[in-house]
């Protein structure tokens, strides 16, 4: 972390390298999160209103999208 002193006020400003290199996977992660949330809600609805097996499969498939999103979060 670098620090620069502001000449006019004398306050220290911190510059973080991570801010300069923004999260390059944020759009992809957001899309994967949306797919996960929609799939989980649909899976729960089908689980309680219809077939337990089909609802469970839908929830498990949506969890795969969440796991992929977590992988992108860790490699950022």
């Amino acid at each position: 972390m670098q620090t620069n002193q502001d000449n006019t006020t004398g306050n220290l400003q911190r510059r973080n390298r991570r801010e300069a290199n923004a999260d390059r996977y944020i759009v992809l992660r957001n899309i994967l999160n949306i797919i996960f949330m929609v799939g989980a809600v649909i899976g729960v609805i089908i689980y309680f209103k219809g077939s337990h097996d089909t609802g469970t499969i839908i929830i498990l498939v949506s969890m795969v999208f969440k796991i992929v999103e977590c992988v992108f979060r860790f490699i950022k």
Side-chain angles (χ1 to χ4, degrees):
M1 193 166 18
Q2 301 172 349
T3 57
N4 291 336
Q5 189 167 4
D6 187 4
N7 292 333
T8 57
T9 60
N11 295 332
L12 289 177
Q13 295 178 349
R14 294 185 177 178
R15 294 185 186 212
N16 193 349
R17 289 186 182 183
R18 292 190 131 189
E19 291 175 7
N21 185 13
D23 188 9
R24 59 183 175 207
Y25 298 116
I26 192 72
V27 174
L28 180 61
R29 285 179 48 211
N30 285 339
I31 292 170
L32 291 171
N33 272 326
I34 291 170
I35 293 171
F36 163 70
M37 289 185 285
V38 170
V41 169
I42 291 171
V44 168
I45 290 171
I46 291 175
Y47 183 84
F48 287 117
K49 298 284 183 179
S51 171
H52 290 287
D53 294 335
T54 306
T56 303
I57 291 170
I58 293 172
I59 292 170
L60 290 174
V61 169
S62 66
M63 286 177 64
V64 170
F65 287 101
K66 186 62 179 178
I67 292 169
V68 171
E69 186 270 333
C70 288
V71 168
F72 281 117
R73 188 182 331 153
F74 289 137
I75 64 173
K76 92 174 177 179

